[in-house]
Amino acid sequence: MNTFNVMIIVVAIVAALVLLFALYYVLYKRHINRALEPGEKPRLRLIAPYKLLIGLTVFLLALSVSLTGVFGANMALDYEGITKRAGRDLASRTLEVIDMPAVGKNGEPYTPPRPSDAAEIEGLLSTCGFDGFEVIPVMGISSFTHHDYRAAFVYGVDAKDCALFGLESMEDDVGYMFEAESDAMTLQLDVVRAETSEGSSGLVAYDMVDYPIRTQSGLSPEGFTEVFFESMTPTQREDVLYSGRPVLFVTLPTLAKMLAVCLRDDLPDGVRDVEDVFEHPWFSGCSMYICMNDLMDVNAARTALGEQGCVTVGPLKETTDYYESMSLLFRAVCAAGAVLTCVAAVNVFLSVKGVSQIRRRRKARAAG
Amino acid sequence: MKISLNVREESVQEVTRALREEPVEITEEAPYILSEVTVSSGLLTVRDLKNEERVLVPLADVVQFAAFGHTVEVRTREKTYSVSMPLYKLDEMLEERSFLRVSNSVIVAVRHIRQIKPTLSMRFILTMSDGSEADVTRTYYYAFKEYFHI
């Protein structure tokens, strides 16, 4: 059941209850006004609307609490594509992600630090950002031994500028350069299929700053510039080597730029979500590498870190809006419930007081 | 001066005692009548708000009594008068079946209620025959319901 359906159901339930209450109110009004007609005496005593309101309030409160506690959380988790909700998972997944053994071009093996204490990690995250975990300067890697990560790119400085990087129509030996301007910066990323001297191949994304454009063709309607690389120098291609499944490598600054243009409207058709990219045929079987850097804040990391090291990231801005809207909805329902409860409580108190007053009067009359 | 008394029997002695010191003779054949504000005759002595004249108003015409400080207004469909009597005394004197106290400051004539509007709190809003509205407050809520069996 998706979010929209659940919200529709919630709204429908509330609307139905309000409608029923309005109907009852009209009926009750007619009923009591019958007493004014000569010779007419109401046979039944209907429940007063305010009493019904008390019941309705309690029901709505229970409903909102259960929705918030059960459906709300589940929906939120579904939305992120994760199944665990423990906050401490941030630490462990951070470890998983950063714990990628790599070998530098100089032949030195790279082993990222592995803090043992989750709290310590969180402290580091909050105080030092990801400086301590900016473990892999991508362009410095000559071999990459972990290919099981499926990652997305997150740039958490300004969620508004986060966007999705989409690639389409990639052909062998041809790279497309996608350009998308954001408020903050411009992404220029060219992607080629690189082959190593050993014959392995992989998809390589290069920062345009680092690699010259040799050929450039026209603009696409979406505002993307497609730049074809007819050829690349062997050195450039061999800068990044792949073995096994292809891995998308980009430099850290490029990652930041890629992520900085997420959620833009001028994405290629059919690519509107990070998950769309993952599901795109062009990426099938492709592992991606996540680079965390100091641009990534803790919340972004928490969002990014998924189950079993797989990182599936929804557009941050949308996610934020989603949570805000859901949160606002439930807060509104809860606030309305709280107000109604207060009214109901006052009513109950006063009705009890009213009954006791009537009893006192009766007693006084009986006493003479 | 000769006056005639139009008061309840239990009040005759008290009024006579009060008038004994005055140069007044109490007789049935007097040109003036000292009348008690009472419902026994179905009339109520009230004061016209404009010219301060005393007027006898049929109780059947009274829509509601409303207290404002020390003043009690007597509202009929045509006019508003005042009466110099506390509301609680009026409440005691008026017939229970014809008038109903609905709040600390209002007594309404049952026959002049045109509509009862329930609210979402413990109150009713009454629309009277003269178009005015009166609130049934929480204190009188159950008494009102009991009266109408609603």
Side-chain angles (χ1 to χ4, degrees), chain A residues 21 25 28-29 32-33 35-36 41-42 45 48-51 53 347 350-351 354-355 357-358 361-362, chain B residues 96-97 113-122 124 138-143 145-150:
Chain A
F21 180 76
Y25 180 80
Y28 183 78
K29 193 175 169 184
I32 59 173
N33 277 285
L36 297 177
K41 285 276 179 186
R45 286 195 176 196
Y50 81 90
K51 286 182 182 170
L53 197 63
N347 278 336
L350 292 171
S351 63
V355 169
Q357 278 181 349
I358 286 176
R361 280 185 194 170
R362 281 179 181 167
Chain B
E96 253 188 41
R97 297 303 304 171
I113 299 173
R114 288 291 170 267
Q115 193 187 38
I116 306 169
K117 192 177 168 188
T119 65
L120 296 183
S121 56
M122 268 180 64
F124 288 115
R138 290 189 174 97
T139 309
Y140 297 89
Y141 179 83
Y142 283 103
K145 283 188 72 171
E146 207 168 284
Y147 182 92
F148 284 105
H149 297 284
I150 54 177

Side-chain angles (χ1 to χ4, degrees), chain A residues 272-287:
Chain A
R272 286 290 176 268
D273 198 307
V274 168
E275 288 179 1
D276 291 340
V277 171
F278 291 140
E279 289 167 9
H280 197 281
W282 196 77
F283 275 105
S284 61
C286 175
S287 293

Side-chain angles (χ1 to χ4, degrees), chain A residues 147-222:
Chain A
H147 309 294
D148 294 326
Y149 286 92
R150 182 169 176 263
F153 307 102
V154 179
Y155 178 54
V157 173
D158 186 355
K160 185 177 68 178
D161 290 324
C162 283
L164 170 71
F165 180 66
L167 300 169
E168 283 186 332
S169 305
M170 184 70 184
E171 293 176 11
D172 286 347
D173 300 321
V174 175
Y176 282 15
M177 195 279 284
F178 297 92
E179 179 179 320
E181 289 185 2
S182 74
D183 294 339
M185 58 189 78
T186 300
L187 166 68
Q188 287 188 328
L189 188 72
D190 53 312
V191 182
V192 298
R193 182 175 294 277
E195 289 183 7
T196 66
S197 52
E198 290 82 20
S200 60
S201 65
L203 304 175
V204 186
Y206 287 111
D207 197 329
M208 289 302 294
V209 177
D210 302 327
Y211 296 90
I213 301 172
R214 296 182 60 176
T215 308
Q216 184 169 329
S217 64
L219 292 171
S220 68
E222 294 83 7

Side-chain angles (χ1 to χ4, degrees), chain B:
Chain B
M1 179 188 283
K2 292 180 179 179
I3 61 168
S4 166
L5 290 183
N6 177 25
V7 296
R8 287 171 294 166
E9 283 183 14
E10 57 267 29
S11 306
V12 171
Q13 280 189 346
E14 186 188 350
V15 175
T16 310
R17 200 180 308 124
L19 293 173
R20 197 172 290 161
E21 296 171 2
E22 303 294 330
V24 173
E25 183 187 342
I26 299 170
T27 171
E28 289 292 325
E29 297 170 353
Y32 300 103
I33 299 172
L34 177 63
S35 188
E36 181 183 355
V37 181
T38 178
V39 296
S40 59
S41 57
L43 295 171
L44 183 70
T45 308
V46 295
R47 192 185 291 271
D48 195 322
L49 285 176
K50 285 183 182 172
N51 50 27
E52 295 290 312
E53 280 184 0
R54 290 187 179 279
V55 184
L56 283 174
V57 174
L59 279 172
D61 290 349
V62 175
V63 174
Q64 62 173 291
F65 297 93
F68 294 97
H70 294 293
T71 312
V72 174
E73 281 189 357
V74 182
R75 292 180 187 163
T76 65
R77 293 184 70 169
E78 292 81 24
K79 230 172 173 183
T80 301
Y81 305 94
S82 72
V83 62
S84 53
M85 184 180 284
L87 204 65
Y88 74 90
K89 277 198 175 178
L90 274 171
D91 192 24
E92 286 171 4
M93 285 180 355
L94 294 167
E95 282 180 44
E96 253 188 41
R97 297 303 304 171
S98 303
F99 289 87
L100 192 62
R101 187 150 186 183
V102 294
S103 70
N104 284 340
S105 58
V106 176
I107 297 171
V108 295
V110 174
R111 77 183 71 175
H112 286 284
I113 299 173
R114 288 291 170 267
Q115 193 187 38
I116 306 169
K117 192 177 168 188
T119 65
L120 296 183
S121 56
M122 268 180 64
R123 283 169 61 236
F124 288 115
I125 297 170
L126 308 177
T127 307
M128 308 305 291
S129 59
D130 62 345
S132 64
E133 287 189 339
D135 284 0
V136 180
T137 58
R138 290 189 174 97
T139 309
Y140 297 89
Y141 179 83
Y142 283 103
F144 185 85
K145 283 188 72 171
E146 207 168 284
Y147 182 92
F148 284 105
H149 297 284
I150 54 177

Side-chain angles (χ1 to χ4, degrees), chain A residues 178-355:
Chain A
F178 297 92
E179 179 179 320
E181 289 185 2
S182 74
D183 294 339
M185 58 189 78
T186 300
L187 166 68
Q188 287 188 328
L189 188 72
D190 53 312
V191 182
V192 298
R193 182 175 294 277
E195 289 183 7
T196 66
S197 52
E198 290 82 20
S200 60
S201 65
L203 304 175
V204 186
Y206 287 111
D207 197 329
M208 289 302 294
V209 177
D210 302 327
Y211 296 90
I213 301 172
R214 296 182 60 176
T215 308
Q216 184 169 329
S217 64
L219 292 171
S220 68
E222 294 83 7
F224 285 81
T225 304
E226 296 180 352
V227 179
F228 292 84
F229 284 86
E230 292 179 352
S231 64
M232 293 187 74
T233 63
T235 310
Q236 288 169 341
R237 291 191 175 187
E238 288 175 10
D239 273 342
V240 179
L241 304 177
Y242 299 91
S243 59
R245 289 188 296 168
V247 177
L248 178 63
F249 272 169
V250 288
T251 61
L252 287 172
T254 303
L255 268 177
K257 290 176 185 176
M258 287 168 66
L259 300 165
V261 290
C262 275
L263 288 184
R264 292 177 55 84
D265 292 328
D266 49 358
L267 294 170
D269 287 337
V271 182
R272 286 290 176 268
D273 198 307
V274 168
E275 288 179 1
D276 291 340
V277 171
F278 291 140
E279 289 167 9
H280 197 281
W282 196 77
F283 275 105
S284 61
C286 175
S287 293
M288 299 169 79
Y289 170 60
I290 186 168
C291 278
M292 293 186 177
N293 56 30
D294 55 355
L295 296 173
M296 194 170 183
D297 64 15
V298 175
N299 288 331
R302 184 176 285 120
T303 310
L305 297 169
E307 185 73 9
Q308 296 172 350
C310 293
V311 183
T312 309
V313 184
L316 289 185
K317 179 58 179 171
E318 264 187 20
T319 308
T320 308
D321 284 349
Y322 167 79
Y323 282 129
E324 279 176 2
S325 61
M326 292 300 283
S327 172
L328 279 175
L329 173 72
F330 288 120
R331 275 184 204 167
V333 172
C334 290
V339 170
L340 290 175
T341 306
C342 291
V343 172
V346 171
N347 278 336
V348 168
F349 171 73
L350 292 171
S351 63
V352 170
K353 194 179 163 191
V355 169

